[in-house]
Amino acid sequence: MSTPVPTPSAGTPAIEVRNLHKSFGDNEVLKGIDFHVNQGEVVCVIGPSGSGKSTLLRCVNRLEEPTTGTIRVEGTDITDPETDLDAVRTRIGMVFQQFNLFPHLNVLQNLTLAQRRAKKRGKAEAEATAMKNLAKVGLADRAKAFPAQLSGGQQQRVAIARALSMDPDMMLFDEPTSALDPELVGDVLEVMRQLAQEGMTMMVVTHEMGFAREVGDRVVFMDGGVVVEQGAPETVLGNPQHERTRSFLSKVL
């Protein structure tokens, strides 16, 4: 029987990772990560491809199974097999590189499906919630459209609205603009910027350094499966202390 999920107390980190290791066969991708995100904080995780950023993010939602270590979400140990993982996941919104919309459902149906199944909301309440969040991302007029009728940027904004419709406590973004044409990136980042201003707790794996500098409360630089350096954006991006960080930033800034 699953352990009930307690309500987080004030001051409890939204996400707390301790000594996290993750291996795929003989390949150790995460090598003892210690990491946290405070309530209301925007943490941007940067680093080269293969550094373990997305694996860390996916472990936080248990989409990947940690090899060893503990992960707490609002004080609940989600690595404990007794924990009701589905209950914890209702608090976590997730936005992927690929938009993962159901192609056979229109936008409104994409936003109401999980609400009705996981939140047990009635049709009217689910649709009202969906329309509120579509308006937030500037797409209320596309509720009846199908994903194939939308641009990539619009699809990603729908995916964000879908996650918000579950009323999450925090949002995880896995390189949400990497699959988009450059001219479509700005609208998605603007939605994320708005969420940050509203106080949403956010963990963002990104290669958008301007966003990390402007919106992030903290920037974490990963390489080789470890956290190399972290701190305020102006410090990590403007005056990095570690040679690996400097080398990476010299190529992307």
Side-chain angles (χ1 to χ4, degrees):
M1 182 170 164
S2 297
T3 303
V5 177
T7 303
S9 58
T12 303
I15 300 164
E16 188 174 18
V17 174
R18 289 279 172 262
N19 196 27
L20 181 66
H21 291 256
K22 173 61 183 176
S23 297
F24 296 96
D26 293 333
N27 181 23
E28 189 176 30
V29 177
L30 299 178
K31 304 173 182 178
I33 297 286
D34 291 303
F35 175 88
H36 73 279
V37 180
N38 292 320
Q39 305 277 355
E41 189 178 31
V42 178
V43 176
C44 294
V45 184
I46 65 171
S49 295
S51 59
K53 309 181 301 293
S54 291
T55 300
L56 171 60
L57 190 85
R58 291 172 65 84
C59 283
V60 167
N61 205 9
R62 282 283 303 278
L63 293 173
E64 297 289 356
E65 191 72 30
T67 303
T68 59
T70 59
I71 302 168
R72 294 183 182 275
V73 173
E74 296 181 321
T76 299
D77 183 357
I78 65 167
T79 49
D80 181 346
E82 297 296 310
T83 295
D84 184 347
L85 199 53
D86 289 337
V88 177
R89 281 188 176 138
T90 63
R91 300 176 175 180
I92 306 171
M94 181 96 184
V95 178
F96 301 88
Q97 294 181 35
Q98 303 298 335
F99 324 118
N100 292 8
L101 300 176
F102 294 109
H104 62 291
L105 300 180
N106 68 28
V107 166
L108 187 62
Q109 291 166 332
N110 264 283
L111 265 67
T112 55
L113 182 65
Q115 291 187 67
R116 299 193 68 183
R117 288 189 177 174
K119 291 277 191 181
K120 307 300 182 193
R121 288 176 177 159
K123 184 172 187 282
E125 182 187 2
E127 290 188 352
T129 301
M131 291 307 299
K132 176 187 76 175
N133 286 299
L134 284 174
K136 176 175 278 201
V137 302
L139 291 172
D141 60 334
R142 304 310 305 273
K144 299 297 186 183
F146 285 84
Q149 297 171 307
L150 304 176
S151 71
Q154 289 172 326
Q155 289 186 62
Q156 191 61 292
R157 282 149 61 198
V158 168
I160 294 172
R162 178 177 60 182
L164 291 174
S165 292
M166 298 296 286
D167 299 326
D169 294 346
M170 66 195 74
M171 293 280 285
L172 309 180
F173 293 88
D174 187 6
E175 302 216 28
T177 59
S178 65
L180 302 180
D181 292 332
E183 68 268 23
L184 302 176
V185 168
D187 288 341
V188 173
L189 293 181
E190 183 54 40
V191 169
M192 294 170 63
R193 194 175 286 115
Q194 178 187 340
L195 289 175
Q197 289 169 350
E198 293 171 1
M200 175 64 76
T201 303
M202 294 162 61
M203 178 179 171
V204 184
V205 171
T206 185
H207 59 275
E208 298 288 344
M209 297 300 147
F211 177 85
R213 186 190 299 273
E214 180 191 344
V215 182
D217 295 302
R218 187 154 42 95
V219 172
V220 174
F221 173 67
M222 288 183 64
D223 192 19
V226 300
V227 172
V228 175
E229 187 168 345
Q230 62 177 307
E234 59 269 22
T235 302
V236 175
L237 300 178
N239 186 27
Q241 301 303 299
H242 201 288
E243 175 54 38
R244 283 156 86 187
T245 318
R246 288 196 289 271
S247 173
F248 172 74
L249 291 173
S250 72
K251 297 179 176 71
V252 299
L253 288 180

